[in-house]
Amino acid sequence: MTETKKEKGPLFSILIPSWNNLEFLKLCLKSIERNSCYTHEILIHVNEGSDGTLEWVRNKGYKYTHSIENIGVCWALNSLRTLVTTEYIVYMNDDMYALPQWDSVLLKTIQSIGHKRFYISASMIQPQAHPNRKISVGVADYGMTPETFREDDLLKHYNDIYIPNWKGSTSPPCIVHRDIWDTVGGYSVELSPGMASDPDFSAKLWLAGIREFKGIGASRVYHFMSRSVDRVKKNRGSLQFLRKYGITIRTFQNDILNIDEPENSSRNNRNSLYIDRLRSRIRLMYTHFRNDKTRKIWEQI
């Protein structure tokens, strides 16, 4: 990185929701400040903050929004949008550690695209394999908690893990132009606290005509896999997505976005779309039947 880059005004607005996860948040912010090539606007939503997060964020002088209770990622991200002053919005989770040049690689990708109608994700390295992502997620264990994190080892060896550019980005760390964010109205609050909100956001972008969905292998974060969702009462995101769009998340991601395919792959999963749409319709009919049947049982009680 160079001093001239750091001296310029903020390039990206980085939105980070955090729910009583202070030690992870500290590492996330440290990594952004240490490993970014450019200055960025860091915006934090403090959900509850009873672990000291609220006081810490205030004392550090970060821009933030706050809710007394956990309002989930959808409301949190939309709240942070009101503070954005740059052209580009990055959504990053608080259990991610940004690796060197993550931002300069994204900027070069945006410049090569030449327009603002895109959705781009950085790639993740994490301690455990992702069940459905074979090429877009690198696997290497440098610790799963702040206490076991081997930061120096990671910074020495993260480039040893090859991740190609890939198709079908649907999740953070991700970046969009703020005009595109506003076009689709940000994140869908009916999906609070947030299950299926990421593919829903991508689906809204697709319906708005966005066709550049790509993941960048050279822009990376280390993902600790801290499962905040295990502490929350989940919405039925998959069912909500199915009823909203008439297809399953799997059908959208695999058949339309071709997720986890190499960027230069000629394989196109749209050939499976007809069959998978039929399966989706059958599943959708079943959910309505199941609900009607359940309703009749309750009426008889």
Side-chain angles (χ1 to χ4, degrees):
M1 68 184 71
T2 66
E3 290 300 321
T4 54
K5 290 181 179 179
K6 284 288 189 177
E7 288 168 359
K8 294 180 180 179
L11 179 66
F12 301 153
S13 296
I14 305 176
L15 279 51
I16 307 174
S18 188
W19 179 30
N20 293 341
N21 221 17
L22 179 55
E23 295 308 313
F24 283 104
L25 178 63
K26 288 179 178 178
L27 267 180
C28 179
L29 299 177
K30 174 187 175 182
S31 73
I32 294 170
E33 293 165 356
R34 175 178 180 178
N35 298 326
S36 298
C37 293
Y38 297 88
T39 298
H40 302 295
E41 178 178 58
I42 297 174
L43 307 174
I44 303 165
H45 180 81
V46 181
N47 274 310
E48 191 178 337
S50 60
D51 66 339
T53 298
L54 182 60
E55 292 77 11
W56 186 85
V57 168
R58 281 174 175 166
N59 290 337
K60 288 294 183 179
Y62 289 109
K63 294 182 181 180
Y64 70 94
T65 55
H66 173 240
S67 56
I68 297 175
E69 298 178 348
N70 175 33
I71 58 175
V73 296
C74 303
W75 285 108
L77 291 170
N78 291 347
S79 175
L80 290 173
R81 168 62 185 94
T82 65
L83 303 181
V84 168
T85 65
T86 73
E87 283 191 77
Y88 300 105
I89 295 176
V90 172
Y91 165 27
M92 187 178 295
N93 287 326
D94 63 2
D95 66 340
M96 293 175 173
Y97 179 96
L99 290 163
Q101 299 186 342
W102 72 276
D103 56 339
S104 63
V105 172
L106 290 180
L107 179 62
K108 289 177 182 177
T109 302
I110 292 169
Q111 292 171 337
S112 69
I113 291 173
H115 56 76
K116 60 186 178 183
R117 301 180 65 77
F118 60 79
Y119 179 98
I120 299 171
S121 287
S123 297
M124 295 189 298
I125 299 171
Q126 60 186 38
Q128 299 174 1
H130 191 289
N132 301 315
R133 308 286 177 262
K134 304 304 179 185
I135 72 165
S136 58
V137 176
V139 182
D141 189 351
Y142 290 94
M144 296 190 71
T145 66
E147 294 75 23
T148 61
F149 182 43
R150 304 192 331 271
E151 183 177 13
D152 291 340
D153 286 344
L154 173 63
L155 292 174
K156 289 178 183 177
H157 299 293
Y158 73 93
N159 271 328
D160 297 341
I161 304 166
Y162 174 69
I163 304 176
N165 290 349
W166 44 279
K167 297 179 181 179
S169 55
T170 61
S171 59
C174 55
I175 185 167
V176 295
H177 194 281
R178 67 182 180 188
D179 291 347
I180 302 304
W181 177 285
D182 293 341
T183 295
V184 300
Y187 269 59
S188 299
V189 296
E190 70 270 19
L191 294 174
S192 293
M195 305 305 112
S197 60
D198 291 329
D200 172 82
F201 185 70
S202 295
K204 293 197 297 182
L205 293 176
W206 179 271
L207 291 176
I210 306 303
R211 294 297 180 266
E212 290 275 0
F213 291 84
K214 64 170 62 178
I216 307 302
S219 176
R220 304 181 182 191
V221 301
Y222 184 75
H223 183 213
F224 286 98
M225 306 176 70
S226 170
R227 298 286 294 174
S228 295
V229 296
D230 291 340
R231 295 184 275 148
V232 71
K233 182 179 180 181
K234 301 176 181 65
N235 59 295
R236 300 179 68 185
S238 296
L239 178 59
Q240 288 174 284
F241 187 97
L242 175 61
R243 289 181 171 174
K244 185 174 182 178
Y245 298 106
I247 58 175
T248 62
I249 294 173
R250 176 184 174 277
T251 296
F252 172 65
Q253 292 183 334
N254 290 354
D255 299 341
I256 296 178
L257 296 186
N258 297 319
I259 194 168
D260 206 46
E261 292 288 338
E263 181 184 30
N264 57 0
S265 171
S266 59
R267 180 180 176 185
N268 191 325
N269 295 331
R270 295 295 291 275
N271 293 332
S272 304
L273 182 57
Y274 176 80
I275 294 176
D276 285 340
R277 284 182 66 185
L278 180 60
R279 288 173 177 159
S280 295
R281 289 174 181 174
I282 293 172
R283 185 172 179 179
L284 181 59
M285 291 173 61
Y286 168 73
T287 64
H288 287 300
F289 170 78
R290 182 182 60 186
N291 287 343
D292 289 342
K293 185 177 181 180
T294 302
R295 191 181 300 113
K296 291 178 180 178
I297 292 174
W298 278 104
E299 289 173 352
Q300 293 173 1
I301 294 177

